Amino acid sequence: MHLSTRLSNEAASRTAEAGRAESGNIVRALPRRAHPLHAQLLEIVESTSDFVAIADGGGWLHYLNGVGRAMLGLSEGEEIAGLHLTDFYSEAESRRLLAEAFPAAQRDGAWQGDSVLRLAGARELNVAQTVLAHGEPHAGVAMFSTIARDISERKHFAEELKRQTSHDALTGLPNRLALEEHMDMVLARARRDRTHAAAILLDLDNFKRINDSLGHLAGNTLLRDVALRLKSCLRPNDIIVRYGDDEFTIVLGELHSAASLLPMMHKLRAALEPPLAAAGQEVFIDFSAGIAIFPHDGAAPLELLQNADAALNRAKATGRNQHQFYQPEINARGQQLLSLETDLRRALERAEFVLHYQPQYHICSGSIAGFEALLRWQHPTRGLVSPAEFIPLLEETGLIVAVGEWALRRACAESRLLRGACGTPVPVSVNVSARQFGDHRLVDELRRILRDEAMPPEDLELEITESVIMQDVQAAGDILEALGALGVRLAIDDFGTGYSSLAYLKRFPLNALKIDRMFIQDLPWDENDATIAEASISLGHKLGLEVIAEGVETEEQLQFLRAHGCDMVQGYYFGHPMPPESVALFPLLCGIAAAPAA
Ligand code: C2E
Ligand code: MG
Ligand code: MG
């Protein structure tokens, strides 16, 4: 009888009696005329470490070797009559073999593949199995034999390898590799059930600082604890993945609305609220998060992750401990920034930066007091790009250090032109960015520039914004001392915006204070601004500093500043920033510009 027919009709055909009638031992099963090598073959089969069994065309067992008996928990002499090949497998596995292995062996003579044997005590064993069909051509299958080899080691090794490549060694969480696979599954389910899914990208705030101050071991402990706490908030089908050093990605499926995410965000924050312990200290950890929701914010895993990342960047930019949902315009802006960044990287090599110069005047005499050098980017297709647009990007990418150095050198070189135009030495002011100011090479670099360009140090003024100085007053004090020692002038820019501590201002070797345009624009009508401008002037004078007002646009503003003793002014009322070529015509401009102050 055909094996599969037999199996499908198993209840009827498989009685112990029938089994016994058909089964016997190997001697009876093998061809009656004993082969001369029969004894030796039997010895080999008995001594192999593989499982070997022989069954008739219906699958009833006729022979099982010693290893097979041991695996199935049968003693040496125990009767195998009544055992069927399918008894060695779970129901599902035997169904698979019946559909796949035995028909293939019947058709091709042999089948090879992996399967799982069910051993004594319900243990399972991974095996590489061969099924052979024996019979005369065209006479159907008379016998089946099968050989199975234990491959559990190999399987275990392969699984471990898979686990290692798909998991993060530190936290034991799945990693990026596993993420996409899981997301495919979650999105397919959401598509089918018409529900939502979400990708949450989560970045620990200030983790790098904690890591640096407590050490990497403590950092690792924290990451493991954070991973555990976050994971404890999730449902069994959700996944959390370690995405980068201190970044995690959470994927949630089966959401009925975007709003159902909010309780989850709350839960995640609450989980990290109690302090963590590391290196004998209590550590508080917050996170910023970006959220993208399927299907609105992306139909494929990669798109969702990218959009969650854009939202995360916005969350980080709005301050720590925030979460943001993706908004398409962020991405458009992101694309724009990306292309701007690529262009910026080339701008210095292609000499696309230029400096424009805006004049500054002494209020009393109306004479020229100096020029402020302001960076411009002559973009090949966008035209003149404003510094407000590209300086933050230069800062972020670190390119500001090279560009800032270029600006310093260029301003010194072009100051000769300014000197020639005005017929007298005029100081030139150059803005120094936060990143440049924090770079220890600044002082040496500046010394070299002054020497190379034969620039009298007293004709160069560095403008450093108040907020930069106040970020780390100790370090700022040291740098300002070193810069002052070179003989250059130092001005505090955008004064009034950075909450200066007077005690520090007094100690720094500053020469000038520039009142921010914000407090000038509504003078003299706005009472608050008037008070601030007035107080800034008197404070500057008390500290022995020259005071300059920037952004002066009207006669009224000038009158107010003059009345309150401001020393210098700069603004569109007197002159816009201009390219160096225009500075060559300066004596003419000088006369016109000085008129209001005369
Ligand atoms: P800042 O140093 O406070 O420069 C003054 C800004 O006010 C300049 O803008 C100038 O064009 C503008 N301004 C001058 N007078 C008036 C006025 O009457 N009305 C109005 N509305 N604006 C006036 P700009 O050139 O766009 O520069 C913006 C900022 O970019 C600068 O602010 C400075 O912080 C930064 N920056 C410019 N050049 C450089 C540079 O070479 N290096 C660094 N690190 N930063 C620079
Ligand atoms: Mg400035
Ligand atoms: Mg300013």
Side-chain angles (χ1 to χ4, degrees):
M1 192 186 291
H2 192 277
L3 181 67
S4 49
T5 323
R6 174 145 209 153
L7 260 271
S8 64
N9 200 11
E10 197 173 355
S13 62
R14 226 192 111 192
T15 63
E17 216 174 309
R20 246 194 307 280
E22 286 181 39
S23 68
N25 61 22
I26 184 66
V27 183
R28 246 199 299 146
L30 289 177
R32 293 199 196 295
R33 191 162 34 85
H35 193 281
L37 295 176
H38 177 261
Q40 286 91 329
L41 287 172
L42 190 61
E43 217 170 294
I44 292 171
V45 171
E46 281 298 325
S47 61
T48 176
S49 54
D50 295 342
F51 171 111
V52 181
I54 300 176
D56 60 25
W60 295 105
L61 215 59
H62 287 239
Y63 169 74
L64 186 63
N65 72 347
V67 168
R69 286 174 179 276
M71 282 183 178
L72 299 175
L74 302 172
S75 60
E76 209 178 308
E78 202 170 332
E79 190 54 71
I80 57 167
L83 280 179
H84 194 267
L85 275 180
T86 51
D87 291 337
F88 307 153
Y89 305 95
S90 70
E91 210 169 296
E93 187 72 335
S94 60
R95 223 176 293 127
R96 182 177 77 86
L97 292 174
L98 279 178
E100 192 184 314
F102 290 99
Q106 270 172 330
R107 190 180 62 238
D108 308 328
W111 172 88
Q112 281 187 321
D114 289 354
S115 64
V116 183
L117 279 179
R118 198 173 54 188
L119 308 185
R123 279 186 308 121
E124 297 207 311
L125 183 69
N126 285 296
V127 291
Q129 190 168 359
T130 303
V131 177
L132 298 168
H134 312 274
E136 298 300 326
H138 314 298
V141 174
M143 311 290 291
F144 282 107
S145 61
T146 183
I147 306 160
R149 172 164 295 177
D150 179 356
I151 54 162
S152 45
E153 283 270 316
R154 193 184 87 196
K155 272 267 187 241
H156 178 73
F157 183 70
E159 266 159 27
E160 182 57 24
L161 205 67
K162 186 167 173 223
R163 208 192 65 78
Q164 280 181 15
T165 48
S166 63
H167 281 69
D168 163 51
L170 177 66
T171 57
L173 295 180
N175 63 18
R176 276 168 182 246
L177 275 179
L179 178 66
E180 266 192 56
E181 211 172 292
H182 181 86
M183 281 184 86
D184 278 331
M185 222 166 61
V186 171
L187 300 192
R189 197 178 314 137
R191 208 170 279 125
R192 189 194 63 206
D193 301 344
R194 294 178 186 280
T195 53
H196 299 264
I200 307 171
L201 234 69
L202 200 147
D203 185 292
L204 305 184
D205 293 338
N206 298 323
F207 187 76
K208 287 193 178 54
R209 190 173 47 72
I210 296 170
N211 210 26
D212 289 346
S213 62
L214 296 184
H216 283 270
L217 279 180
N220 286 351
T221 310
L222 284 174
L223 280 174
R224 265 191 297 264
D225 291 350
V226 166
L228 272 178
R229 288 204 193 170
L230 294 174
K231 194 166 179 218
S232 72
C233 302
L234 305 185
R235 300 163 304 179
N237 285 340
D238 300 335
I239 187 176
I240 172 164
V241 157
R242 177 139 178 251
Y243 203 62
D245 291 344
D246 57 351
E247 276 189 6
F248 297 88
T249 299
I250 293 174
V251 176
L252 309 173
E254 299 160 55
L255 295 173
H256 293 286
S257 71
S260 50
L261 260 176
L262 293 175
M264 174 54 91
M265 294 314 296
H266 192 71
K267 203 166 157 191
L268 291 170
R269 290 216 181 274
L272 288 191
E273 219 154 73
L276 293 136
Q281 292 195 31
E282 283 197 334
V283 182
F284 290 88
I285 289 192
D286 293 328
F287 63 81
S288 304
I291 305 164
I293 296 174
F294 172 88
H296 313 100
D297 303 336
L302 210 60
E303 195 185 349
L304 272 184
L305 291 172
Q306 275 168 354
N307 290 340
D309 197 36
L312 171 62
N313 283 333
R314 203 166 63 117
K316 283 199 277 194
T318 39
R320 302 281 155 187
N321 203 15
Q322 306 268 339
H323 55 259
Q324 289 282 345
F325 286 86
Y326 171 69
Q327 289 166 12
E329 64 271 24
I330 320 172
N331 213 13
R333 175 85 185 127
Q335 297 288 347
Q336 215 181 12
L337 285 180
L338 209 66
S339 83
L340 206 62
E341 186 189 329
T342 318
D343 291 351
L344 262 184
R345 289 188 183 278
R346 297 195 202 113
L348 202 55
E349 295 160 28
R350 297 184 181 172
E352 288 171 2
F353 289 117
V354 288
L355 290 179
H356 281 193
Y357 294 91
Q358 188 178 30
Q360 303 168 328
Y361 296 94
H362 292 290
I363 291 191
C364 288
S365 63
S367 62
I368 186 87
F371 288 93
E372 179 174 9
L374 293 158
L375 193 59
R376 298 287 179 269
W377 179 16
Q378 188 70 57
H379 190 280
T381 54
R382 292 168 201 245
L384 212 57
V385 186
S386 140
E389 209 169 320
F390 66 86
I391 287 194
L393 213 58
L394 283 177
E395 284 268 356
E396 216 172 279
T397 51
L399 289 168
I400 189 73
V401 176
V403 176
E405 187 191 321
W406 173 88
L408 275 168
R409 193 173 278 280
R410 184 66 169 218
C412 289
E414 287 178 338
S415 80
R416 277 192 287 272
L417 194 74
L418 308 183
R419 231 176 288 160
C422 296
T424 153
V426 277
V428 54
S429 308
V430 180
N431 292 282
V432 172
S433 81
R435 190 87 166 242
Q436 247 180 314
F437 189 68
D439 191 303
H440 63 279
R441 289 166 299 186
L442 177 66
V443 178
D444 289 337
E445 200 54 62
L446 190 63
R447 188 179 295 121
R448 251 195 310 275
I449 292 173
L450 291 171
R451 192 192 54 209
D452 295 350
E453 303 299 330
M455 176 80 178
E458 64 278 10
D459 285 349
L460 179 66
E461 183 172 78
L462 302 185
E463 292 190 6
I464 301 138
T465 55
E466 186 187 19
S467 53
V468 167
I469 295 182
M470 288 304 143
Q471 253 165 32
D472 183 348
V473 280
Q474 195 65 46
D478 294 346
I479 300 171
L480 289 172
E481 280 301 335
L483 291 172
L486 291 179
V488 296
R489 286 170 54 87
L490 298 169
I492 183 162
D493 201 357
D494 301 345
F495 186 80
T497 57
Y499 310 104
S500 279
S501 149
L502 294 187
Y504 286 116
L505 277 186
K506 209 169 146 197
R507 284 199 343 225
F508 295 149
L510 298 166
N511 302 86
L513 174 159
K514 293 187 81 174
I515 306 173
D516 192 74
R517 179 153 54 86
M518 188 166 97
F519 306 111
I520 307 296
Q521 65 190 8
D522 294 327
L523 287 184
W525 327 114
D526 186 295
E527 263 178 46
N528 288 333
D529 287 354
T531 313
I532 291 171
E534 202 181 323
S536 300
I537 295 167
S538 97
L539 173 77
H541 287 160
K542 286 211 176 85
L543 292 172
L545 306 179
E546 287 183 302
V547 179
I548 174 163
E550 61 179 22
V552 179
E553 294 183 357
T554 66
E555 176 63 28
E556 287 81 5
Q557 290 166 346
L558 174 66
Q559 293 307 342
F560 178 94
L561 292 163
R562 193 202 302 274
H564 289 89
C566 185
D567 303 294
M568 287 177 277
V569 280
Q570 170 184 353
Y572 293 168
Y573 188 50
F574 313 98
H576 283 258
M578 56 191 153
E581 310 82 79
S582 307
V583 176
L585 306 170
F586 196 67
L588 181 64
L589 290 172
C590 205
I592 298 164

